[in-house]
Amino acid sequence: MLQVAVVGSGPSGVYTAQSLIRQDLVPGVRVDVIDRLPCPYGLVRYGVAPDHEKIKSLQNNLRTVLEHDRVRFLGGIEIGPGGFPTERLLDLYHAVVYCVGAAADRRLGVPGEDLPGSHSATEFVSWYSAHPDATADGFVAGVESAVVIGVGNVAVDVARMLARGVSELRPTDMPQAALGVLAGSRVREVHMVGRRGPSQARFTTKELRELGSLPDTEVVVDPAELALDPAYADPSGLPAVGRRNIEVMRGWAERPARNLPRRIRLRFFLRPVAVTEAAGRVGGVRFERTLPDGRGGVTGCGEYEDIAGQLVLRSVGYRGVPIEGLPFDPGLGTVPHVAGRVQREGAASPGEYVAGWIKRGPTGVIGTNRPCAKETVLSLLEDAPALVRKGVPEDPLRALREAGLRPVEWQGWLGIERAEAELGAALGRGPVKIPDWTGLLAAARGGEG
């Protein structure tokens, strides 16, 4: 019997488990899906915006895999620094597949970036998504104008959440404390700023259009900034998404002002050079105007503009972080691999594999993880005849417990689900997420009996 550990229970980890149990090449494969958190689903639970119910419903598909009789969820287990060592984990399983994502945010690298009121978009997302590692912060307290740096889907998400009304957020699973803070928000203007042009923005058209459907919110686009993009006048050479995005923004640029209570301003060809200070905290962002350089990039032109804001959220990408005990390419932010096989000193490391962002970098959408996982699993199964010759414990869970670990198993997760449903019912809402480690673990232990 082939015993495999999958580290990470987000989409890449669950798709890896699914591919393993669907293959007939090695009958009887057993998979333990291990996660640092007591809750499964990774960024589907803690990264998808709470008002995106259709995307969040993907949890139902992932759930089917984790409830398979040859798959076991083991939450609350840290692998690496301060936790269970990677080399010991490999002693317990024939193979280990690391699906740990890209945990670090890219920084702007400009003066003032660490002023109070300046955050990564991920910090904001973690807070309103109830991630137990999130630090308590009002974020929007005293904020009338916010600056979001970046023009990808995460930037669109946080801009939309800043402009949402509390009546639209109440039906979601947003934690009660965050809902209360956003209910008192005085944010009236959100600037979403990109250093390149509209044709190079990374958001998808569906997410972009959502901004235009927010109640009492006007989307403002400067026609002069759009016209700086060579592809704006004739977008026929762009990919389909780029053409549709240009069409949406053209419509907004040509629409008369409506003077609604809230505005989202899309800005382009502005590069941040400093986060400015006012009274000891963020006062805004200084940008340099950029122009297309003819090679797909931009160059600064020496003209500057200050945009006032009491909150700055950077959304300029992610990076993988090293996993203690595994090789790491700091330039790419990934683990070196060939078709998912971890490479050590130019050769495949027996039994060690990667899938997801730690394998390919932070690219693609949720569905991109499926073929990525399948490629890795095919490599693993090709290696299986040699891997199964290694002696491993009959039940790795027993060895983990003997090491002092107390994993949260599936019944524990079901206990968390019940506790969140009960919390929501008490508040007159649907299920409401528990936002802290203490509450999550207490609910899990109650569910385990």
Side-chain angles (χ1 to χ4, degrees), residues 15-68:
Y15 290 149
T16 296
Q18 183 180 53
S19 291
L20 281 164
I21 59 177
R22 279 184 172 177
Q23 301 298 325
D24 296 326
L25 298 177
V26 181
V29 176
R30 293 193 177 274
V31 184
D32 283 349
V33 179
I34 298 172
D35 203 290
R36 185 177 70 87
L37 297 174
C39 309
Y41 310 135
L43 284 179
V44 177
R45 176 175 167 91
Y46 288 118
V48 174
D51 60 341
H52 273 177
E53 287 298 326
K54 185 173 182 180
I55 302 175
K56 288 173 71 68
S57 68
L58 177 63
Q59 292 183 19
N60 297 327
N61 297 334
L62 303 181
R63 183 190 196 99
T64 301
V65 178
L66 293 174
E67 289 183 330
H68 191 280

Side-chain angles (χ1 to χ4, degrees), residues 113-282:
E113 185 171 7
D114 295 318
L115 281 168
S118 173
H119 306 271
S120 72
T122 302
E123 291 175 292
F124 185 52
V125 171
S126 294
W127 171 71
Y128 67 61
S129 298
H131 195 292
D133 289 341
T135 54
D137 194 303
F139 284 97
V140 298
V143 175
E144 295 185 358
S145 176
V147 182
V148 179
I149 301 174
V151 284
N153 279 344
V154 175
V156 172
D157 277 350
V158 299
R160 190 180 68 254
M161 296 302 292
L162 286 167
R164 277 280 191 207
V166 66
S167 62
E168 303 149 49
L169 295 174
R170 188 179 299 279
T172 73
D173 60 5
M174 178 180 286
Q176 188 70 11
L179 181 67
V181 169
L182 292 176
S185 170
R186 295 189 291 120
V187 175
R188 295 295 175 263
E189 197 152 50
V190 180
H191 305 263
M192 191 166 72
V193 189
R195 65 183 179 88
R196 298 195 292 179
S199 69
Q200 296 166 309
R202 302 297 295 274
F203 40 64
T204 52
T205 309
K206 178 180 181 295
E207 279 66 28
L208 179 65
R209 283 182 176 141
E210 280 186 280
L211 296 180
S213 65
L214 295 174
D216 301 320
T217 301
E218 181 177 16
V219 182
V220 179
V221 189
D222 184 347
E225 287 186 344
L226 298 183
L228 290 173
D229 192 328
Y232 179 68
D234 179 14
S236 60
L238 295 175
V241 172
R243 293 197 302 272
R244 290 194 294 266
N245 288 347
I246 290 290
E247 179 184 347
V248 171
M249 287 183 275
R250 190 188 302 275
W252 288 335
E254 295 173 352
R255 184 172 59 190
R258 295 185 291 167
N259 297 317
L260 296 177
R262 291 185 294 270
R263 286 179 299 279
I264 297 175
R265 296 186 181 274
L266 299 187
R267 303 294 309 275
F268 297 99
F269 293 111
L270 292 172
R271 177 169 61 198
V273 295
V275 177
T276 57
E277 181 266 341
R281 57 174 293 116
V282 163

Side-chain angles (χ1 to χ4, degrees), residues 63-137:
R63 183 190 196 99
T64 301
V65 178
L66 293 174
E67 289 183 330
H68 191 280
D69 59 4
R70 286 190 281 121
V71 176
R72 184 165 54 182
F73 174 69
L74 302 177
I77 298 180
E78 177 91 43
I79 302 297
F84 198 75
T86 54
E87 61 271 18
R88 290 187 63 189
L89 188 67
L90 192 57
D91 289 340
L92 303 183
Y93 295 89
H94 295 111
V96 179
V97 187
Y98 293 91
C99 308
V100 294
D105 296 282
R106 291 185 183 275
R107 292 176 59 83
L108 300 175
V110 302
E113 185 171 7
D114 295 318
L115 281 168
S118 173
H119 306 271
S120 72
T122 302
E123 291 175 292
F124 185 52
V125 171
S126 294
W127 171 71
Y128 67 61
S129 298
H131 195 292
D133 289 341
T135 54
D137 194 303

